[in-house]
Amino acid sequence: MATRNIKEVAQLARVSVGTVSNVLNRPEIVSPATRERVFEAIKKLGFVRNEVARHLRAGRSRTVGLVVLDVANPFFVDVAQGAESVADEHDTMVVLCNSAGDPGRERRHLDQLEQQRVMGILVTPVEMDNPWLEELVARGTPVVLVDSPATGRQCSVAVDDRLGGQIAGAHLIERGHRRVAFAGGPPSIKQVADRHAGIAGAVAAAGGAVELMTCTAPSMTVAGGRIIGERVAALPPGERPTAAFCANDMMALGFLQAMATHGLRVPEDLAIIGYDDIDFAAAAAVPLSSIRQPRELLGRTAIDLLLEEVAEPEQHRHRQVIFQPDLVVRKSSAMRRDP
């Protein structure tokens, strides 16, 4: 069966069986144009994927790649710890790669991990539409999306970010805020889009009584939060939002710094709520309210799904695991404001 499939790929791609074998085993020695034709043929003959994976499995390393958006964000460190705790039980090593929110850098990491013949890859994609991940799967490398839901072509573990944004918005509205800002990173990042959709839904449910100001920074970092915080703080008091929902805790910390720089009090002048509930949130100068995600559980669950697929590829069925977020209220948003 495997030989016949490889021959069919070769015929469709108009190359030799040996070239197909090189593309699958040593893609770096094949020209990009030829690789593209072979990959296109593999995609059209979707049944090739599992046979290739079974044929190559014995030659794979005991290594799993983990590609994250920002290695400086403690959220991803906790995810990595969860994945590593399970990997260690299976005599497997996790290699952590930082895409830094750059699609080109993400692809280079994926290329390098594939060339190293890793068992599989855990990845938080930079962008929602990423055909390169599907090509990886077609060539026999299992992929599990982390902190990002899939469409069914891969396993995934994520938190209901729309619900998280809705909870944050409802909390601020219940506290009496009528002008609310959303501080996010690039909207091409699915987590940002979903969290914004969640708070927008909460604002819409208020029936026009609440205004939502949407602000975007180049990155979901402390610096990004500070940029948006400076912009908000510079507004006249009558136009300035009285509360801000930040797309993650790193941005919330930067936003908090900007408020302090401009002499604005939190939560008296402006309430803040973040997302992730990293350890720094509770330890901030003004303890930050946050939407909590089960960070280590995300990592543990993701690698469980990956190892299951590696062990039994023919019986494996892709699953999309969705966890529910929780609201943690601290001083930064605890005060009730008169509408």
Side-chain angles (χ1 to χ4, degrees), residues 151-178:
T151 59
R153 292 186 289 270
Q154 302 103 10
C155 285
S156 67
V157 293
V159 171
D160 189 339
D161 284 322
R162 283 179 178 259
L163 178 60
Q166 183 180 351
I167 291 171
H171 168 68
L172 295 174
I173 292 169
E174 188 275 333
R175 284 292 187 268
H177 296 282
R178 296 297 177 261

Side-chain angles (χ1 to χ4, degrees), residues 39 43 107 114 130-140:
F39 293 159
K43 288 170 66 175
R107 179 160 181 169
E114 185 182 29
N130 191 332
W132 184 244
L133 293 177
E134 294 184 20
E135 293 178 15
L136 272 177
V137 173
R139 295 194 297 271

Side-chain angles (χ1 to χ4, degrees), residues 66-72 96-101 105-106 109:
L66 172 58
V67 185
V68 301
L69 288 173
D70 181 9
V71 75
L96 182 61
C97 303
N98 180 29
S99 70
R105 183 168 174 173
E106 176 187 74
H109 283 312

Side-chain angles (χ1 to χ4, degrees), residues 20 51 59 61 127 130 138 157 168 177 183 186 188 298 325 339:
V20 175
E51 293 298 326
S61 69
E127 297 179 338
N130 191 332
V157 293
H177 296 282
S188 59
L298 284 167

Side-chain angles (χ1 to χ4, degrees), residues 185-248:
S188 59
I189 297 175
K190 184 165 178 57
Q191 295 91 325
V192 174
D194 284 350
R195 293 166 196 180
H196 177 264
I199 191 171
V203 168
V210 180
E211 299 177 21
L212 178 62
M213 173 189 293
T214 299
C215 305
T216 300
S219 62
M220 296 171 65
T221 60
V222 172
R226 192 183 303 118
I227 289 171
I228 296 176
E230 295 280 347
R231 194 183 311 162
V232 169
L235 293 172
E239 299 177 14
R240 185 188 305 133
T242 62
F245 168 45
C246 299
N248 68 12

